[in-house]
Amino acid sequence: MRRFVIIGQRASASPDFSLADLAGSSGRLDVLLRCLRAALLVSHGLRRDTVVYLVLLGGASAPRSLRIDGASARFLRPDERSLALLVQKSLAAPVAGAGFSLVRPGVAVANEGLAAVLADLGPCSPYLLEEHAPDLREAALSLADPVFFLGDHQGLDPASGARLAALGASAIGVGPVSVHADDAITLVVNELDRREAASG
Ligand SMILES: C[S@@+](CC[C@H](N)C(=O)[O-])C[C@H]1O[C@@H](n2cnc3c(N)ncnc32)[C@H](O)[C@@H]1O
């Protein structure tokens, strides 16, 4: 299984954003939605072996988190507006108690941030996508259960960085240039695809 965690420093944890002005009204949730598409959607389908977590640290309802599981999610479309609508409806669903609650097939919401995600992940091989870190192509990646953490357009907030350091996440890079987070995911996914194909 492949898992991706994208931490949105200002991304709206409430459904009170406008689909007509997503970037301007949602704390740049659009950045996270492009990450979701890059990690989970392929031409004409979903990656059934992939789970994406969006950590939403923006607004009065924060922190909250979303989990989208490619194995059971239905009707995910690649355009940003459709994904934004899915997130908006999911955030509007009532959720009680600790941890993730399923609000629609394959989509779960937690009323917590990174703490809920780390608890949900359990034992795993954590990697932190970071500019100028050792190159992914040279890294001895675990193909069994890798988890990749990324920041948003502003990078990673210090508190999340400290938690990931305490978790022992290995920093990896995808090349010498700082790219958009969704492009970094595409490069990781492509490398995993190639390695899996090569190892049969
Ligand atoms: C647009 S970048 C953040 C840029 C922000 N100005 C900063 O200084 O952190 C968004 C995220 O993509 C990932 N990323 C971007 N370029 C990368 C690279 N060359 N190697 C690894 N990760 C990268 C990192 O996780 C980063 O937090």
Side-chain angles (χ1 to χ4, degrees):
M1 198 198 326
R2 305 168 178 186
R3 292 181 287 183
F4 292 85
V5 183
I6 304 99
I7 301 170
Q9 296 197 44
R10 303 234 166 100
S12 176
S14 90
D16 304 329
F17 53 82
S18 162
L19 295 178
D21 179 20
L22 187 61
S25 68
S26 69
R28 297 306 310 274
L29 186 63
D30 59 308
V31 172
L32 277 65
L33 297 179
R34 285 193 288 278
C35 289
L36 174 62
R37 190 205 57 75
L40 209 55
L41 280 92
V42 289
S43 180
H44 303 302
L46 288 182
R47 291 181 182 270
R48 299 292 176 193
D49 64 348
T50 300
V51 178
V52 177
Y53 295 87
L54 306 181
V55 180
L56 310 172
L57 300 180
S61 309
R64 298 181 84 196
S65 304
L66 276 163
R67 183 187 66 207
I68 303 98
D69 186 345
S72 45
R74 300 282 174 268
F75 312 121
L76 252 63
R77 301 213 326 239
D79 63 284
E80 223 165 273
R81 188 185 166 86
S82 299
L83 294 175
L85 187 59
L86 171 83
V87 167
Q88 195 170 49
K89 285 183 176 169
S90 301
L91 290 175
V95 170
F100 282 91
S101 303
L102 212 55
V103 295
R104 56 184 56 230
V107 183
V109 175
N111 289 331
E112 291 173 275
L114 193 52
V117 173
L118 297 182
D120 202 60
L121 289 172
C124 60
S125 304
Y127 298 97
L128 172 60
L129 269 285
E130 204 170 66
E131 290 101 328
H132 314 301
D135 200 307
L136 165 75
R137 290 194 179 169
E138 267 82 61
L141 286 181
S142 158
L143 292 182
D145 199 8
V147 181
F148 300 93
F149 294 87
L150 293 99
D152 62 7
H153 60 296
Q154 296 183 319
L156 201 63
D157 61 287
S160 300
R163 290 198 89 139
L164 297 181
L167 190 69
S170 311
I172 53 167
V174 293
V177 176
S178 176
V179 296
H180 291 295
D182 56 320
D183 292 332
I185 289 178
T186 299
L187 291 165
V188 170
V189 165
N190 182 257
E191 181 69 17
L192 294 176
D193 288 347
R194 287 167 182 269
R195 289 195 190 193
E196 281 182 9
S199 67

